[in-house]
Amino acid sequence: MRQTSSKNRSIDRIPTHRWRFTRRQKRPGRRWIRTAIGMLTAVTLLLSLAPTIVSYTGLHHFVLQRFTAGLPVQVHCESISLGWFQSPELFELRIVDDQQSPVADVRQLRIASPLWRLVQNPTDLKRVELFQPTCYIRCRAGGSSLEDLLSQVEPSSKETLLWQGEMIIRDGSLLLADEWHNRQWRLVGWQASLQLPSSQQDALQFEA
């Protein structure tokens, strides 16, 4: 008989096991928490960048249309500067009526109220500054273009557009065209201050 050493027999008696490596299952609750945190982070980032997105895209035209809804004019803006904690500024504004006739051109418009406050209360403007505006008024027999615009304002808009604050015009120009007698007048370098809403008699101050 073949004899085996005790060393070999001890090796044969060592049991062999198959080790199974199993992945630990994640709890469903933790997955929902991570998803919620990710969505909250994305929404916060989007809201913080919203003014920048509006400034560098064509969305500022849509914002202007919403802000001037109910007025018989169209407002076009070349560029805009927005920030949640800064005063909104608009550059190179062009205001036209329904016939695309010019109503006013404004070099720069600045609103003192920060953007986050305007979102909460769009009528609380604090102070509006118009730099180098040019107003166009056409006069005719029995009326003017300014009277036509005021008559086209919807009654519901007169109640909703009760802006509160002070409007300051700096270095303004007025171009008055008399279509009846074919004459024109120009008034330049005037300053004006208007309290909104203008219910008081001394709400308007004018300097030329």
Side-chain angles (χ1 to χ4, degrees):
M1 294 182 61
R2 184 179 178 181
Q3 295 182 357
T4 58
S5 62
S6 60
K7 182 178 181 181
N8 294 335
R9 287 196 300 269
S10 62
I11 294 177
D12 295 338
R13 287 195 299 267
I14 297 177
T16 59
H17 300 281
R18 294 181 178 179
W19 299 93
R20 297 180 180 179
F21 298 93
T22 59
R23 183 179 296 178
R24 186 177 181 182
Q25 296 182 356
K26 297 181 179 180
R27 296 181 181 179
R30 293 183 177 179
R31 183 181 302 175
W32 282 108
I33 292 175
R34 292 181 180 179
T35 304
I37 293 176
M39 294 180 61
L40 182 60
T41 303
V43 171
T44 303
L45 182 61
L46 182 61
L47 289 177
S48 61
L49 295 178
T52 304
I53 296 174
V54 173
S55 300
Y56 289 94
T57 60
L59 293 177
H60 63 273
H61 299 292
F62 174 76
V63 174
L64 287 177
Q65 292 178 1
R66 298 284 295 180
F67 193 74
T68 58
L71 296 178
V73 295
Q74 299 178 10
V75 181
H76 304 279
C77 177
E78 182 175 339
S79 61
I80 187 172
S81 177
L82 294 176
W84 284 117
F85 302 99
Q86 71 181 31
S87 300
E89 291 184 286
L90 293 82
F91 303 92
E92 303 298 338
L93 279 84
R94 179 78 169 180
I95 304 175
V96 297
D97 57 10
D98 295 337
Q99 283 75 32
Q100 300 299 315
S101 299
V103 176
D105 292 328
V106 182
R107 182 72 177 272
Q108 180 183 356
L109 185 147
R110 180 188 301 160
I111 302 176
S113 184
L115 182 60
W116 68 269
R117 188 179 295 274
L118 289 176
V119 173
Q120 293 180 347
N121 187 6
T123 62
D124 188 11
L125 303 180
K126 299 297 183 184
R127 185 179 67 256
V128 179
E129 295 180 273
L130 304 177
F131 297 90
Q132 299 181 2
T134 301
C135 302
Y136 304 94
I137 299 179
R138 301 184 307 275
C139 299
R140 64 181 186 279
S144 64
S145 59
L146 180 59
E147 295 174 346
D148 296 339
L149 288 176
L150 295 177
S151 63
Q152 295 176 10
V153 178
E154 301 177 0
S156 59
S157 301
K158 294 180 181 180
E159 298 179 358
T160 57
L161 294 178
L162 293 178
W163 293 326
Q164 301 176 2
E166 181 184 9
M167 179 179 293
I168 301 176
I169 298 177
R170 304 184 185 277
D171 195 13
S173 300
L174 176 62
L175 182 61
L176 185 63
D178 186 357
E179 298 179 350
W180 192 17
H181 298 90
N182 195 17
R183 293 179 297 184
Q184 290 186 356
W185 293 272
R186 182 184 294 271
L187 179 63
V188 298
W190 51 274
Q191 321 291 328
S193 176
L194 176 64
Q195 293 290 336
L196 300 174
S198 57
S199 58
Q200 302 177 359
Q201 295 181 356
D202 56 348
L204 177 61
Q205 297 179 2
F206 184 84
E207 296 180 2

